[in-house]
Amino acid sequence: MKPRLQTSLGQHLVMTPQLRQAIRLLQLSTAELEIEIASAVESNPLLDWEDPTPIDTLPGDGANGSGNGADHDDAPPADASPWDGDEPWYERIGPADSDDEPLAEQVAEAETLHDHLLWQLHLSHLSQRDRMIGVAIIEAIDDDGYLRETIEAVADSLRPDINAQDNEILTVLHQVQRFDPPGVGARTLNECLQIQLALLPEGTPGRDLAKKMADGPLERLPRIGVAGLANELHRSHEDIELAVHVLRSLEPRPGAQMGGLSADTYVTPDCVVWRQQGQWRVALAAGARPRISIHRGYERMIRSASENDAIYLRGRLQEARWLLKSLEARGDTLLKVMRCLLRQQSAFLEFGDQALRPLTLREVAGEVGLHESTISRAIARKYVRTPRGTIPLRAFFASGIETGTGGEASSTAIQAMIRRLVEGEDPRKPMSDARLAETLKASGVPVARRTVAKYREAMSIPSSQDRLRIG
């Protein structure tokens, strides 16, 4: 079954410019969204800022606020405490950079296209061998999202550790091509477009003809025009125009969507999580739900305006309505994903990294009824304010390793165990990687020595020899 593009309501839609706008807004950070909205309000007279609601008039607990549900309030009620204690939530929620900006806590790390792809790779269900092949493929992908190296060159980069056959590399490449952003890992423009077209639902108007045109006829469009393609393919003028519209809605440079944040970008939380009466709750932060609306004055002018002015105003009105709808879908999707993460990782919020259970994009996608690429966009560069500080939504995901009891432990939890063991060791007799592996195995978590070494290095923990302290 082919993956399909879906809205937050699970509906299958044609990839229209409006849907592309919704997808683009979904993957923006809150800071980027604020800039986008300000630009839209400035350029569209049919959009206007709403008057801010006084803080003392905000409802404390909305009608949707049962269980792990989420209100659309800017923040938790002032009397809600994350630990059900006496202090208000904002006193116990974590450190801030300054007294003046309690919700701009830390500098964001820049995320590149390769970071984004490697993160998805390590959450996949591929074998260790296939993951190593996947790393080699991702390293060969350029900033535009294309695989410019040949399959033979990728195979050479893997030797002598892995002697991979061409069909093995192609199999892993097809898995990488299913990652977000759509079209990544393509070797040609045609393949890039075909990957994106395959994501559209069966029966999408113009999809099948667009796939046929992408195989070659599209290159002749500038020379022979729509009429020439219609004659060549024996299709109507309208059919060709519809297929061209579908093709133009695709992204010829998928990697360009993944511009990294600059190193001096401050994080603004997209959601706020707190605990009330023993239950975890979530709400959108103020910046994730911009207060804009249709300017009713200009809307009423359409009826009495001249024909040209009315056409202009109707166009801007349609753009404003689509923007508001896209923002609502963005908020709904973000809350839906966040509620799922609260259900799956409540122990992580209670006890920290050691309690993080294995969780993948596929599992969340299946639970909330969305495609994996939608989940990936929804959590990209998003942060949530929790009692443990402001953390990226990516922190709620981790690959798993089977334990001796038949369950799974997340890689993050295992790293936390290693860190705890190192912190508690005798500095005059530090534990070697082999000893750490034996200790973890005795605890029911069988991990190879080389895996321990990899995790230790990832946490910047020196080797046992470098940790030795005498005296």
Side-chain angles (χ1 to χ4, degrees), residues 84-254:
D84 294 337
D86 296 329
E87 295 175 293
W89 70 274
Y90 50 80
E91 295 289 348
R92 293 288 296 278
I93 209 163
D97 280 344
S98 71
D99 295 335
D100 296 327
E101 294 185 357
L103 290 181
E105 292 82 1
Q106 61 190 68
V107 177
E109 295 181 2
E111 182 186 44
T112 66
L113 172 65
H114 294 87
D115 293 333
H116 189 57
L117 294 175
L118 288 171
W119 174 69
Q120 294 174 80
L121 176 70
H122 293 309
L123 286 179
S124 66
H125 295 278
L126 298 176
S127 66
Q128 182 64 26
R129 177 184 175 89
D130 285 347
R131 287 186 187 181
M132 292 178 69
I133 295 174
V135 169
I137 291 172
I138 290 171
E139 288 177 347
I141 292 176
D142 66 13
D143 291 340
D144 284 341
Y146 284 85
L147 178 63
R148 302 298 188 185
E149 300 287 347
T150 64
I151 298 300
E152 292 75 17
V154 173
D156 288 342
S157 70
L158 288 164
R159 298 188 182 98
D161 296 329
I162 293 180
N163 187 21
Q165 303 299 316
D166 288 358
N167 61 336
E168 279 187 281
I169 297 174
L170 284 171
T171 298
V172 178
L173 173 60
H174 292 151
Q175 289 294 321
V176 172
Q177 289 175 344
R178 293 169 61 91
F179 291 170
D180 178 69
V184 74
R187 290 159 288 181
T188 63
L189 174 61
N190 169 44
E191 187 175 24
C192 178
L193 298 177
Q194 294 289 5
I195 292 170
Q196 295 178 67
L197 288 168
L199 290 172
L200 297 178
E202 298 279 358
T204 296
R207 171 181 178 267
D208 293 339
L209 181 55
K211 293 179 70 174
K212 187 175 182 180
M213 288 173 57
D215 280 331
L218 182 63
E219 298 176 359
R220 297 188 288 278
L221 178 62
R223 179 166 50 87
I224 64 178
V226 172
L229 278 184
N231 291 330
E232 178 182 327
L233 300 176
H234 306 290
R235 301 294 292 266
S236 69
H237 191 278
E238 292 75 16
D239 286 347
I240 298 296
E241 284 190 331
L242 178 59
V244 170
H245 173 75
V246 172
L247 288 167
R248 284 175 176 166
S249 73
L250 306 178
E251 177 54 66
R253 297 171 57 226

Side-chain angles (χ1 to χ4, degrees), residues 399-427:
S399 56
I401 295 177
E402 292 185 2
T403 66
T405 58
E408 278 191 316
S410 74
S411 56
T412 304
I414 294 173
Q415 289 182 39
M417 295 178 191
I418 293 172
R419 182 177 294 279
R420 188 182 63 179
L421 289 172
V422 169
E423 289 174 350
E425 70 186 1
D426 184 347

Side-chain angles (χ1 to χ4, degrees), residues 47-64:
L47 284 171
D48 198 10
W49 295 107
E50 292 182 352
D51 292 332
T53 305
I55 191 67
D56 56 0
T57 64
L58 287 175
D61 200 8
N64 297 333

Side-chain angles (χ1 to χ4, degrees), residues 154-428:
V154 173
D156 288 342
S157 70
L158 288 164
R159 298 188 182 98
D161 296 329
I162 293 180
N163 187 21
Q165 303 299 316
D166 288 358
N167 61 336
E168 279 187 281
I169 297 174
L170 284 171
T171 298
V172 178
L173 173 60
H174 292 151
Q175 289 294 321
V176 172
Q177 289 175 344
R178 293 169 61 91
F179 291 170
D180 178 69
V184 74
R187 290 159 288 181
T188 63
L189 174 61
N190 169 44
E191 187 175 24
C192 178
L193 298 177
Q194 294 289 5
I195 292 170
Q196 295 178 67
L197 288 168
L199 290 172
L200 297 178
E202 298 279 358
T204 296
R207 171 181 178 267
D208 293 339
L209 181 55
K211 293 179 70 174
K212 187 175 182 180
M213 288 173 57
D215 280 331
L218 182 63
E219 298 176 359
R220 297 188 288 278
L221 178 62
R223 179 166 50 87
I224 64 178
V226 172
L229 278 184
N231 291 330
E232 178 182 327
L233 300 176
H234 306 290
R235 301 294 292 266
S236 69
H237 191 278
E238 292 75 16
D239 286 347
I240 298 296
E241 284 190 331
L242 178 59
V244 170
H245 173 75
V246 172
L247 288 167
R248 284 175 176 166
S249 73
L250 306 178
E251 177 54 66
R253 297 171 57 226
Q257 303 175 41
M258 289 299 302
L261 292 175
S262 62
D264 59 349
T265 300
Y266 282 85
V267 167
T268 301
D270 301 85
C271 297
V272 179
V273 166
W274 75 103
R275 198 173 69 176
Q276 186 176 24
Q277 296 178 348
Q279 295 178 320
W280 288 104
R281 298 168 59 78
V282 59
L284 291 178
R289 185 171 51 85
R291 296 183 181 277
I292 59 173
S293 61
I294 303 293
H295 193 300
R296 299 306 173 189
Y298 280 106
E299 186 180 22
R300 287 191 293 268
M301 284 177 57
I302 296 177
R303 303 188 187 94
S304 57
S306 64
E307 182 177 355
N308 288 339
D309 289 343
I311 292 174
Y312 169 78
L313 290 174
R314 287 194 190 99
R316 303 292 81 74
L317 177 61
Q318 183 70 3
E319 289 177 5
R321 286 173 174 169
W322 273 110
L323 178 61
L324 292 175
K325 186 174 182 180
S326 297
L327 290 172
E328 182 180 1
R330 180 186 187 276
D332 289 344
T333 300
L334 191 55
L335 284 175
K336 183 180 289 188
V337 171
M338 197 63 231
R339 292 185 191 119
C340 176
L341 296 179
L342 287 182
R343 288 192 294 269
Q344 295 285 350
Q345 301 287 23
S346 59
F348 166 56
L349 291 174
E350 295 275 1
F351 306 109
D353 289 346
Q354 192 170 333
L356 188 70
R357 62 177 295 272
L359 185 65
T360 64
L361 294 172
R362 182 184 301 178
E363 291 177 73
V364 174
E367 182 171 332
V368 302
L370 298 172
H371 189 262
E372 287 179 52
S373 63
T374 304
I375 304 300
S376 180
R377 292 187 185 98
I379 65 176
R381 293 182 290 184
K382 306 295 191 305
Y383 292 80
V384 58
R385 182 74 164 165
T386 78
R388 293 189 173 275
T390 297
I391 57 177
L393 266 62
R394 289 175 54 161
F396 287 82
F397 294 82
S399 56
I401 295 177
E402 292 185 2
T403 66
T405 58
E408 278 191 316
S410 74
S411 56
T412 304
I414 294 173
Q415 289 182 39
M417 295 178 191
I418 293 172
R419 182 177 294 279
R420 188 182 63 179
L421 289 172
V422 169
E423 289 174 350
E425 70 186 1
D426 184 347
R428 292 172 295 181

